[in-house]
Amino acid sequence: MMRINIFDIINSKNALLHDDGLSIFHKVEKLYDNYNHPIELDFSGINRLSTLFLNASFGKLLAKYGTEITRHNFHPINYSQITSFMDKFNDMWDNFENKENYQAYRELDFA
C-alpha cells in the first residue's frame, strides 16, 4: 500500500485550508491514476483539521471515484491526536452521500 504524509505536503501542523485540501486531492489523484493501488493518507504531525480541508481532499475523491472506490482505496491513518477527526470525516462523507438533502437545507436557509 502506498502512503502519503499530509504534513510533508502542506508543510503545516494545521490542515485547515481549502488549497491544502486540493493539494492532497491532486497528489492522491495522480498516484492512484498512475498506479491504481490503495493509498494511506498519514495525518502524523497534524494537530488541527477543518471540514473545509476534508471537503477539498476526501470530498473531491468521493466526487471523482465514488463511495466504493474511495472507501476501499483511500485510508486516513494516524489521526488520533486530532480532536473529533472521525466526527468531521463522517459529516463530510454524510454530506456527500446525501448531497440532495444537504443542498435542500442550504436553500431553505437562504430562502
Side-chain angles (χ1 to χ4, degrees), residues 57-88:
S57 55
F58 278 94
K60 286 188 67 69
L61 292 170
L62 279 164
K64 178 169 181 173
Y65 299 107
T67 56
E68 289 306 308
I69 288 174
T70 301
R71 181 176 289 119
H72 295 291
N73 291 288
F74 310 122
H75 309 282
I77 61 168
N78 299 324
Y79 53 80
S80 62
Q81 74 285 359
I82 303 170
T83 305
S84 64
F85 177 92
M86 284 311 298
D87 290 337
K88 291 176 182 179

Side-chain angles (χ1 to χ4, degrees), residues 86-104:
M86 284 311 298
D87 290 337
K88 291 176 182 179
F89 189 85
N90 289 334
D91 283 348
M92 176 274 310
W93 197 285
D94 185 58
N95 288 341
F96 176 80
E97 287 188 331
N98 298 294
K99 57 186 163 260
E100 292 81 18
N101 291 341
Y102 179 71
Q103 186 61 34

Side-chain angles (χ1 to χ4, degrees), residues 10-73:
I10 67 172
N11 298 310
S12 174
K13 62 183 180 178
N14 300 312
L16 303 173
L17 303 176
H18 184 263
D19 286 347
D20 289 340
L22 289 177
S23 295
I24 300 303
F25 166 74
H26 291 301
K27 177 73 171 178
V28 172
E29 176 188 43
K30 183 177 180 180
L31 285 173
Y32 187 74
D33 288 350
N34 287 334
Y35 300 104
N36 200 26
H37 291 305
I39 301 168
E40 292 177 330
L41 288 84
D42 187 348
F43 283 85
S44 297
I46 302 296
N47 295 328
R48 294 182 61 213
L49 176 83
S50 73
T51 52
L52 187 66
F53 174 88
L54 286 173
N55 287 334
S57 55
F58 278 94
K60 286 188 67 69
L61 292 170
L62 279 164
K64 178 169 181 173
Y65 299 107
T67 56
E68 289 306 308
I69 288 174
T70 301
R71 181 176 289 119
H72 295 291
N73 291 288

